[in-house]
Amino acid sequence: MESIRPLRPEDKGRTAEIYVFNNRLNYYPIFHDDDYSFGEMQVIPVAENFAHWIGQEDETFVLDDGVIRGFAVVGGGELHKLYVDPCFQGRGYGEALLDFAEKGARTLWALEKNTRAIAFYARHGFAPTGERQYEEGTTEELIRLSLSRETERNG
């Protein structure tokens, strides 16, 4: 049986693994940055400095059914990260994490070129607000998505 629970210290290696592989699969094709994707973005350093990569003030939750399948990071009414291990995508784990996160997070930022993520959020009631900003240190744009009022009433 799956459960969503707060991150424990012993979960950091597994969540770092999920984070690193998702970053490589989703962002390397956009940024083509070998130094970042295969230098900085390695499991052990990410696990050792997890608060830096994930956010010190945010809350991290894992979906765990005996195996950690994914995680979500929320804080300040915003979903900061949602990742599911690529081996387990398409099985409803992302939806379960998003449903859980929606209790405290009504907005998020997504990389404009990450069309797969934007389509996932759109299927779950998130729509662009028109707000945009650059991903820090890049020329790639992020778009802000917000849970629509209609979804809030009917969901």
Side-chain angles (χ1 to χ4, degrees):
M1 176 162 181
E2 72 186 43
S3 71
I4 297 175
R5 60 169 176 77
L7 176 80
R8 299 178 191 145
E10 63 268 22
D11 301 331
K12 289 182 180 178
R14 176 68 179 126
T15 51
E17 179 181 61
I18 292 168
Y19 185 60
V20 166
F21 289 112
N22 270 283
N23 269 267
R24 287 180 181 159
L25 287 172
N26 295 310
Y27 304 129
Y28 181 74
I30 295 169
F31 294 106
H32 304 286
D33 187 340
D34 290 355
D35 291 338
Y36 180 78
S37 293
F38 303 101
E40 268 186 74
M41 191 57 54
Q42 293 187 35
V43 174
I44 292 172
V46 169
E48 289 174 347
N49 198 6
F50 201 70
H52 165 76
W53 295 101
I54 300 303
Q56 297 176 7
E57 303 300 317
D58 301 323
E59 293 183 86
T60 302
F61 298 93
V62 298
L63 189 149
D64 182 1
D65 63 358
V67 172
I68 294 175
R69 309 290 178 162
F71 69 94
V73 180
V74 297
E78 191 165 280
L79 176 63
H80 295 288
K81 293 180 179 24
L82 190 152
Y83 292 104
V84 173
D85 185 303
C87 294
F88 303 118
Q89 290 178 2
R91 299 182 188 182
Y93 297 120
E95 183 175 2
L97 282 164
L98 185 58
D99 288 346
F100 179 85
E102 283 177 5
K103 295 173 188 162
R106 310 311 261 179
T107 64
L108 60 98
W109 289 92
L111 194 63
E112 182 177 39
K113 288 184 180 175
N114 191 351
T115 56
R116 201 165 154 228
I118 292 169
F120 168 78
Y121 292 122
R123 284 192 308 274
H124 294 91
F126 285 82
T129 65
E131 294 176 75
R132 303 170 87 72
Q133 67 182 29
Y134 287 105
E135 173 70 20
E136 186 177 334
T138 76
T139 59
E140 298 295 337
E141 287 192 303
L142 297 164
I143 61 171
R144 189 174 185 95
L145 304 171
S146 179
L147 194 58
S148 73
R149 294 278 178 221
E150 182 176 314
T151 302
E152 288 181 38
R153 282 194 303 270
N154 298 329

